[in-house]
Amino acid sequence: MKVVVTRRAEEKLERAYDYGYVNFGLSAVVRLQEELEERLLDKNPLGYRYLILLKTFKLIYYIDTESSSVIISDLWDVRMEPSSLVERTLSGNNQ
């Protein structure tokens, strides 16, 4: 199955990797990447799904069965104010 990452999610993943590298070292970045790869295709109900990574990030994605792709739509730092995620989602700005 192909994994597709939206521009927003890609930017946020890169920032998370950079932050993890600077503050916690390469091993933290590797752990985040490994956990992402291991858990991304876990069986979940249809629709939007999420993974909690390193107790800090919520990766939001869905599976497009027509194209056999995983679409990663966002990466959320769970320490942030939840209303900003709602505002961002309602604005439709997910590219």
Side-chain angles (χ1 to χ4, degrees):
M1 185 169 283
K2 182 171 79 172
V3 175
V4 177
V5 182
T6 63
R7 184 173 44 244
R8 176 197 314 212
E10 184 176 351
E11 290 169 359
K12 290 189 175 270
L13 279 168
E14 287 299 320
R15 280 190 254 150
Y17 294 152
D18 291 344
Y19 178 85
Y21 181 76
V22 168
N23 292 286
F24 305 106
L26 181 60
S27 63
V29 175
V30 170
R31 277 193 356 254
L32 177 60
Q33 291 172 332
E34 288 173 351
E35 187 171 346
L36 173 61
E37 290 170 12
E38 289 172 13
R39 299 184 55 209
L40 188 60
L41 296 176
D42 280 352
K43 295 184 183 198
N44 289 313
L46 294 176
Y48 276 91
R49 305 169 183 202
Y50 68 89
L51 301 173
I52 302 295
L53 303 170
L54 302 178
K55 300 179 184 177
T56 305
F57 299 103
K58 181 183 280 190
L59 182 108
I60 302 168
Y61 70 101
Y62 64 93
I63 295 180
D64 181 352
T65 54
E66 289 182 22
S67 66
S68 295
S69 300
V70 174
I71 311 296
I72 299 173
S73 60
D74 208 345
L75 181 71
W76 175 251
D77 185 334
V78 299
R79 299 168 293 184
M80 294 177 65
E81 177 62 41
S83 62
S84 64
L85 176 62
V86 172
E87 290 169 14
R88 191 166 73 200
T89 302
L90 292 176
S91 74
N93 184 15
N94 65 352
Q95 296 295 317

